[in-house]
Amino acid sequence: MSALAAARYGKDNVRVYKVHRDEKTGVQTVVEMTVCVLLEGDIETSYTRADNSVVVATDSIKNTIYITAKQQPVTTPEVFGAILGTHFVEKYNHIHAAHVSIITHRWVRMNIEGKPHPHSFVKDSPETRNTQVDVIEGKGIDINSSINGLTVLKSTGSQFWGFLRDEFTTLKETWDRILSTDVNANWQWRRFGSVSEVRANTAGFDKAWQSARDITLKTFAEDNSASVQATMYKMGELILAGAPLIDTVEYALPNNHYFEIDLSWHKGIKNTGKDAEVYAPQSNPNGLIKCTVGRSGQKAKL
Ligand code: AZA
């Protein structure tokens, strides 16, 4: 005998672009997002008894995303997600939770001859700002914000030594190495009670994103890194210190290795240690280092 243990459904990969035209200045601002909305509630019978009467069609969910984007602000993504998710929970009595994921793509205003251009933008990296909003009836609105795919590299100022050595170890200790990673950082906000509470923190969402990005870059650049672990922890500590509404900060950092190449076999060329100049970037395998930094007294999930 089987039973439905869990279910959610909705529309994924809904691509949305919105332009704001400032009539006075002629300056236009654009936002491009990829949105996913998944619903939960009293929908079991649609799976177990082919009862479609409880199904808000995924096509209607897509339409609702477009209409909400037209009628409501799409910035910040946290506010847009809260408005959108709350709509489904309030509109349909049998829907008890809405999970909204938003990937905001990077369009940066062009600077032409030193001046910000009124309507031209450049995608300067695949980096995205991602937001997960979970609206849960009777409980509140949980929001997780993140930076994804911010690729960084430093050519010195990174070490890795003193690690456990045994019969499985071949890695040499190093006091000067290349460090490169694709930053995935996310931060979990303290639960919000309503959309108006989320709206009241509009500026806080942008500020936290900017500050997390700045802290990540500055710490990466300036820390004489003992390890990925030690450097990422410092980043998390700094983000938490500046944002009282954030409960936890989580990092997942691949260690994108750059290996030295011994070229001594060719006419005695010196290309290792202090003579290393030409390296072989590796695609895989890569280290993957994760941590969650919380406030004292709050134990991180291991
Ligand atoms: N952390 C690092 O920063 N570098 C490494 C590790 C690690 O855990 N393992 N190999 N190289």
Side-chain angles (χ1 to χ4, degrees), residues 160 171 177 227-229 255 289:
F160 189 60
L171 186 69
R177 67 173 180 176
S227 65
V228 174
Q229 286 90 330
N255 190 358
I289 321 287

